[in-house]
Amino acid sequence: MNILDKIVADKRIEVDFRKELIPTSQLEASVLFDRSTISLANNLRNSNTGIIAEHKRRSPSKSVINQKSSVWDVAKGYETADACGMSVLTDAKYFGGSLDDLLTARASCNLPLLRKEFIIDEYQLLEAKAYGADVCLLIAACLTRQEIKQLSEFAKNLGLDVLLEVHNQEELEKSLMPSLDMLGVNNRNLKTFEVSLETSKSLSSLIPDDFVKVSESGISSIEAIKELRPYGYQGFLIGENFMKTEDPAKSAIEFINELK
């Protein structure tokens, strides 16, 4: 059982518990449920930097990353830095995040927010909308083609952008469908945790141009972005690079200014 299987198994238990706790009618009655979302895909298409900056406290591969920086300050800082969007981890057990982090980010900035989560159920998409997200992440490695179709179409009906993440050619081929906006290539091998930009490069030609191409993991330098741009990538998800510093907002501002 790899780490992803373990996380998904725990997630099923968690989602069942949450469903009993908060009915869907309560999520749909949330004050944020009817707000108009901001399209991350459009922001990336019209940007000259393409940075999606992340708030992440810890991860299975790097226990503690940053437990000190407040979501409020980080979100405000990312907006000041002119990031295209912000990714907010909401998984508690493995990443130390929560839906409250999403709510706090929504209150403090006007960036498109990605709910970074292991989504296996439509209920989680209703949560994303109720807590102020604009974008949802679907991970091909833990979903069948039918589940990707069902969840992405449900997300689109809620007005959410869909970022689908793949790790290899097989996942990519089973996932291509019109209900996706962005295709993210994760450069981290889930079995070994090794990171290589070659993954993004080798899969780029297989991604049709209708989708915004996003490269994820292992992007820690301006050079990496410059290396990937010729392959058609318009989005770059930066997780640990900003968060592992004392002041993630300041790091993002300096990085994006240099990139411009």
Side-chain angles (χ1 to χ4, degrees):
M1 202 179 198
N2 67 23
I3 186 70
L4 186 64
D5 296 335
K6 200 167 173 324
I7 292 172
V8 170
D10 286 339
K11 192 58 63 180
R12 292 193 193 284
I13 297 166
E14 182 197 319
V15 172
D16 286 344
F17 176 71
R18 295 179 80 93
K19 280 180 175 175
E20 286 183 27
L21 211 56
I22 300 172
T24 54
S25 56
Q26 197 175 323
L27 293 174
E28 288 166 350
S30 141
V31 69
L32 289 171
F33 199 81
D34 293 326
R35 70 175 269 277
S36 298
T37 50
I38 313 158
S39 172
L40 175 61
N42 286 349
N43 272 15
L44 293 175
R45 279 192 191 96
N46 300 314
S47 165
N48 56 359
T49 64
I51 302 297
I52 306 161
E54 191 156 85
H55 180 270
K56 181 196 273 188
R57 292 190 180 85
R58 53 187 168 87
S59 75
S61 60
K62 295 232 177 78
S63 49
V64 171
I65 297 164
N66 187 331
Q67 299 280 26
K68 296 189 187 117
S69 299
S70 83
V71 181
W72 182 276
D73 293 341
V74 171
K76 276 202 139 2
Y78 285 167
E79 186 169 40
T80 303
D82 206 18
C84 283
M86 178 176 178
S87 165
V88 182
L89 273 136
T90 61
D91 173 78
K93 184 172 180 181
Y94 295 90
F95 292 87
S98 72
L99 277 165
D100 283 346
D101 289 342
L102 193 55
L103 214 48
T104 302
R106 179 74 293 145
S108 61
C109 77
N110 202 33
L111 292 171
L113 297 180
L114 165 72
R115 180 183 186 188
K116 185 90 174 283
E117 181 55 271
F118 300 87
I119 290 181
I120 49 164
D121 193 294
E122 290 176 359
Y123 181 83
Q124 293 164 288
L125 298 171
L126 294 172
E127 283 181 326
K129 191 76 165 79
Y131 281 81
D134 303 276
V135 194
C136 67
L137 175 74
L138 298 179
I139 302 171
C142 57
L143 299 167
T144 63
R145 180 174 173 83
Q146 187 51 39
E147 287 169 332
I148 293 167
K149 185 174 189 298
Q150 179 196 341
L151 291 167
S152 58
E153 287 175 358
F154 190 80
K156 294 308 292 174
N157 286 335
L158 291 174
L160 297 170
D161 266 10
V162 180
L163 168 63
L164 183 104
E165 175 180 301
V166 301
H167 297 83
N168 55 44
Q169 184 172 346
E170 186 189 356
E171 289 176 10
L172 176 62
E173 286 172 352
K174 80 167 182 189
S175 306
L176 294 173
M177 56 188 75
S179 44
L180 311 175
D181 301 284
M182 295 161 281
L183 261 156
V185 177
N186 193 329
N187 300 305
R188 178 174 279 117
N189 182 313
L190 288 178
K191 294 189 175 76
T192 62
F193 280 125
E194 282 171 12
V195 175
S196 167
L197 295 184
E198 293 309 313
T199 311
S200 280
K201 291 178 185 175
S202 65
L203 292 181
S204 65
S205 62
L206 305 173
I207 302 172
D209 291 336
D210 341 358
F211 306 106
V212 176
K213 294 181 198 176
V214 178
S215 186
E216 310 168 19
S217 296
I219 298 165
S220 54
S221 66
I222 304 285
E223 286 63 47
I225 291 174
K226 289 184 172 162
E227 216 179 295
L228 290 168
R229 276 194 176 142
Y231 291 87
Y233 286 92
Q234 291 174 291
F236 306 93
L237 182 72
I238 298 189
E240 285 159 28
N241 200 44
F242 303 143
M243 286 304 293
K244 69 185 180 191
T245 64
E246 282 289 306
D247 187 341
K250 184 167 171 270
S251 308
I253 290 166
E254 287 168 0
F255 188 95
I256 292 172
N257 280 342
E258 193 186 332
L259 186 59
K260 284 176 176 171

